[in-house]
């Protein structure tokens, strides 16, 4: 839920008590006549209540609507709305804020989402924005992080930097054909694709402070060859992307930012896991993993 600006002094926090140097996102509240800040550790849903004060019954409630979330070090606009497309347009001084004007000047459009899926999210840039859902318009403002006078403007060689929405290490960038290589590999190896989708499912769902699925759970759910299978896939993918290892923290961001893992992949992985559970495959995998030959 968005917090009123007055309650959100200081930089946002992810629950650890430490301030996070990131941009701050605000919504304009007509009811209070002031900006309300969005908490980075939870989704701000653009639902029936936020858009229309519960007046427009054609609008959806969470989680079947559009929303704003902070994930992979950036703010995203995403949509699970199965009725209305979502329009995003820059807010220009003196321009009309009507839904028709926003739709006419939109720079990004999130299409109507198929059931149980969501449209590919849009990464928000700094500035003022208008979001239109149906006949309703909402104002957004994304401010850049405040810089300390002692902080260098340019990160040093060991700090991460951002390029094309993907976190990378300076001096080691993805190869030009990295996306094509991973996409081709996933087309040839469905098990690898489903394994990564199941392993990174909290990242795909856009949960706050996402965690990877325990590797043993992935091995059992998808009946993989052994406990090292997930690690082997991760190492192979890092080789495709960076031609080296050491990018474990960057891998999920790269796969999601380039549309290589989607909610559809996660649905397929979960369906495979459910089928394996029903058929007894998961139980056999559990027994296989629990068996350890006794030493002489």
């Amino acid at each position: 839920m968005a917090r009123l600006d007055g309650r959100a002094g200081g930089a946002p926090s992810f629950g650890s008590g430490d301030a996070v140097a990131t941009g701050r996102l605000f919504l304009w509240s007509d009811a209070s006549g002031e900006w309300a800040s969005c908490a980075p550790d939870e989704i701000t849903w653009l639902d029936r209540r936020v858009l229309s004060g519960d007046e427009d019954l054609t609008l959806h409630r969470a989680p079947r609507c559009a929303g704003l979330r902070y994930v992979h070090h950036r703010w995203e606009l995403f949509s699970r709305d199965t009725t209305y497309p979502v329009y995003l347009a820059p807010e220009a001084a003196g321009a009309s804020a009507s839904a028709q004007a926003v739709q006419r000047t939109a720079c990004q459009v999130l299409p109507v989402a198929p059931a149980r899926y969501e449209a590919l999210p849009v990464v928000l840039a700094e500035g003022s924005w208008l979001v239109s859902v149906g006949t309703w318009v909402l104002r957004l403002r994304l401010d850049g992080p405040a810089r300390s006078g002692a902080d260098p403007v340019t990160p040093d060689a060991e700090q991460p930097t951002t390029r094309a929405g993907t976190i990378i290490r300076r001096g080691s960038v993805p190869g030009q054909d990295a996306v094509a290589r991973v996409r081709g590999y996933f087309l040839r190896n469905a098990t690898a694709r489903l394994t990564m989708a199941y392993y990174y499912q909290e990242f795909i769902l856009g949960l706050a402070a996402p965690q990877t699925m325990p590797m043993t759970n992935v091995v059992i759910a998808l009946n993989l060859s052994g406990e090292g299978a997930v690690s082997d896939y991760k190492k192979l993918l890092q080789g495709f992307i960076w031609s080296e290892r050491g990018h474990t923290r960057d891998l999920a961001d790269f796969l999601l930012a380039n549309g290589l893992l989607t909610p559809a992949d996660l649905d397929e992985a979960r369906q495979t896991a459910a089928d394996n559970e029903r058929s007894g495959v998961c139980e056999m995998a559990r027994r296989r993993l629990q068996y350890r030959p006794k030493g002489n």
Side-chain angles (χ1 to χ4, degrees):
M1 180 182 296
R3 296 192 178 100
L4 293 181
D5 200 3
R7 295 173 52 194
S13 169
F14 287 87
S16 63
D18 298 326
V20 178
T22 180
R24 298 182 64 192
L25 183 63
F26 299 89
L27 303 181
W28 177 257
S29 171
D30 289 328
S32 62
E34 61 182 331
W35 290 100
S37 65
C38 299
D41 54 357
E42 59 188 63
I43 293 175
T44 298
W45 295 104
L46 307 185
D47 57 9
R48 182 187 303 173
R49 179 186 59 81
V50 170
L51 291 172
S52 72
D54 281 326
E55 292 181 3
D56 189 344
L57 300 183
T58 68
L59 297 174
H60 294 291
R61 299 187 185 278
R64 297 181 57 215
C65 55
L68 300 160
R69 63 192 176 202
Y70 184 84
V71 62
H72 307 311
H73 312 288
R74 63 197 185 188
W75 285 101
E76 291 181 347
L77 171 67
F78 68 98
S79 178
R80 300 172 185 171
D81 195 312
T82 57
T83 302
Y84 293 110
V86 178
Y87 298 85
L88 177 70
E91 183 178 24
S96 170
S98 68
Q100 293 82 358
V102 174
Q103 294 170 17
R104 187 174 59 253
T105 60
C107 61
Q108 296 281 357
V109 180
L110 280 69
V112 172
R116 300 186 297 117
Y117 297 108
E118 66 180 48
L120 193 66
V122 171
V123 178
L124 293 175
E126 292 180 28
S128 298
W129 300 91
L130 298 173
V131 176
S132 171
V133 182
T135 61
W136 301 91
V137 174
L138 190 68
R139 296 174 64 198
L140 306 178
R141 189 186 87 228
L142 179 57
D143 295 344
R147 286 191 178 275
S148 167
D151 290 339
V153 174
T154 303
D156 62 40
E158 295 183 356
Q159 288 180 311
T161 185
T162 303
R163 177 177 300 176
T166 303
I167 303 301
I168 58 175
R169 288 180 177 84
R170 291 178 61 82
S172 183
V173 300
Q176 291 184 348
D177 61 345
V179 174
R181 293 184 70 187
V182 174
R183 181 171 287 117
Y185 176 67
F186 279 169
L187 286 174
R188 297 190 305 272
N189 192 329
T191 301
R193 174 175 56 84
L194 299 183
T195 296
M196 289 295 97
Y198 203 83
Y199 181 66
Y200 287 124
Q201 59 185 275
E202 289 193 4
F203 294 80
I204 296 173
L205 294 172
L207 300 185
Q211 301 293 321
T212 55
M213 181 67 62
M215 290 187 184
T216 301
N217 293 14
V218 181
V219 172
I220 292 172
L222 300 180
N223 193 30
L224 303 181
S225 59
E227 293 176 327
V230 180
S231 293
D232 290 342
Y233 285 137
K234 291 169 62 181
K235 292 173 185 176
L236 185 63
L237 291 169
Q238 289 174 68
F240 285 152
I241 299 167
W242 294 281
S243 299
E244 62 183 14
R245 300 178 187 175
H247 296 268
T248 300
R249 295 182 179 179
D250 306 331
L251 183 56
D253 185 82
F254 181 89
L255 296 175
L256 270 69
N258 290 283
L260 297 167
L261 288 181
T262 68
D265 296 317
L266 176 56
D267 274 2
E268 185 178 350
R270 285 179 163 178
Q271 185 60 55
T272 300
D275 292 342
N276 287 342
E277 190 67 60
R278 282 194 298 269
S279 64
V281 169
C282 289
E283 183 58 31
M284 289 190 291
R286 291 187 189 96
R287 293 175 181 172
R288 171 166 49 86
L289 292 174
Q290 289 170 358
Y291 172 71
R292 295 291 185 273
K294 295 181 180 180
N296 294 332

